[in-house]
Amino acid sequence: MERQLHGLLISGEERRFVDETLDFQRYLISKVGLNSNNVRLILCTYMGNDYIVEESQLFFERLPRNGTICDVVLLYNGHGGKGTFFPNDSSLSYEEWARVINNNGDFIFLNNSCYAGSSIPAFLHLGLLPKKGLVIAASRRNELGYDAQFLDALIESYRNRQPFRRKIICRESFVEGLFTYNPNAKNSVVKRKSDGRVFEYLLNPWRFYPYSKPILDDIQHPVRRGKMLDHLLFPKR
């Protein structure tokens, strides 16, 4: 029996979300080997949530059935809340949207949004997890997500043909030293030379202490639940 991989990619309304989603589409087509005709984009700049649900339902209805097993990769890349996501500045519950998932193969849902882990209970309640698919969320259910660092880390792992197992994602920078200020320092000091001359030296109350210290910022903790299906998104050999 033939097995195919299809993709449904949903972008939030901001331009950065659209650009990141298009980058992921290019990875699927150029590296994973998806047929471009098998990838459906929903760019939500002006569309309402009813449109998103209807188009998602239509995507699943159009999947081949007879003699073909269809696995599906789903991506949401945009704003999110607790138990909901906001493709168009209005709330759409994960459970309402996930009800349309009815393909006859496996699925992977990649959720790159704030509070992304709060999508997992909806998939559990609908019986989609843990046996039918895999959900990888960019952040915990009570945690913010930051830009495309989750998708960047995910693709890096898959390019190396490794399952995505990262427990923490963050931006790292380094502090090269520290300036300190002493408000009680003297403004100047007077010194007398051996020949009797007197000199006044101005003092700088600031001091610099050089060292190197890593600083972690934009910290988020990805969460995964379900089957081991990462291999579906590995590059084609």
Side-chain angles (χ1 to χ4, degrees):
M1 184 175 289
E2 183 185 6
R3 193 156 198 144
Q4 297 180 359
L5 180 61
H6 293 249
L8 174 63
L9 314 181
I10 304 175
S11 165
E13 78 283 14
E14 295 181 23
R15 183 69 218 183
R16 62 188 174 102
F17 295 139
V18 174
D19 291 340
E20 293 159 5
T21 302
L22 292 175
D23 285 342
F24 188 74
Q25 179 194 33
R26 282 188 283 270
Y27 171 77
L28 292 178
I29 294 172
S30 65
K31 300 300 182 182
V32 181
L34 261 73
N35 187 320
S36 59
N37 294 325
N38 291 348
V39 182
R40 173 75 172 97
L41 280 171
I42 301 179
L43 305 180
C44 301
T45 305
Y46 301 109
M47 303 302 181
N49 287 341
D50 288 343
Y51 172 83
I52 297 167
V53 174
E54 291 168 2
E55 286 298 306
S56 298
Q57 185 172 5
L58 187 60
F59 165 83
F60 282 97
E61 290 176 353
R62 289 176 174 174
L63 292 175
R65 299 288 176 178
N66 296 329
T68 302
I69 297 176
C70 290
D71 300 318
V72 172
V73 54
L74 306 164
L75 170 70
Y76 173 65
N77 183 41
H79 291 298
K82 295 181 179 180
T84 62
F85 58 116
F86 301 91
N88 301 285
D89 290 330
S90 56
S91 174
L92 175 62
S93 75
Y94 288 114
E95 184 157 339
E96 179 183 357
W97 175 73
R99 289 182 187 278
V100 306
I101 300 175
N102 63 357
N103 57 304
N104 61 1
D106 296 320
F107 75 88
I108 300 177
F109 175 44
L110 306 173
N111 187 2
N112 187 34
S113 65
C114 293
Y115 313 109
S118 68
S119 62
I120 292 176
F123 284 78
L124 289 169
H125 184 255
L126 293 172
L128 296 170
L129 292 178
K131 294 184 177 181
K132 183 172 173 56
L134 168 66
V135 174
I136 305 181
S139 55
R140 293 172 178 166
R141 63 170 61 192
N142 59 349
E143 186 177 59
L144 298 178
Y146 297 95
D147 299 328
Q149 63 180 7
F150 164 71
L151 288 178
D152 292 342
L154 184 93
I155 291 175
E156 179 184 4
S157 181
Y158 288 167
R159 284 184 189 276
N160 294 315
R161 307 185 66 81
Q162 296 294 324
F164 184 73
R165 291 290 194 181
R166 292 278 294 272
K167 299 296 185 182
I168 183 172
I169 302 174
C170 61
R171 303 189 194 281
E172 186 176 64
S173 58
F174 286 87
V175 173
E176 300 299 335
L178 177 68
F179 279 98
T180 63
Y181 178 77
N182 182 3
N184 299 317
K186 295 180 180 180
N187 293 327
S188 63
V189 63
V190 176
K191 290 188 177 181
R192 186 181 298 274
K193 296 293 185 178
S194 58
D195 59 4
R197 290 180 300 167
V198 175
F199 291 87
E200 182 179 17
Y201 297 90
L202 297 179
L203 299 178
N204 186 352
W206 289 94
R207 292 290 183 269
F208 178 74
Y209 299 91
Y211 65 91
S212 182
K213 177 181 178 182
I215 301 296
L216 304 183
D217 199 8
D218 294 349
I219 299 173
Q220 60 192 88
H221 301 83
V223 182
R224 60 181 293 148
R225 186 73 177 267
K227 300 172 69 174
M228 181 64 73
L229 297 172
D230 302 74
H231 64 277
L232 293 177
L233 300 183
F234 289 174
K236 191 175 181 180
R237 292 188 183 276

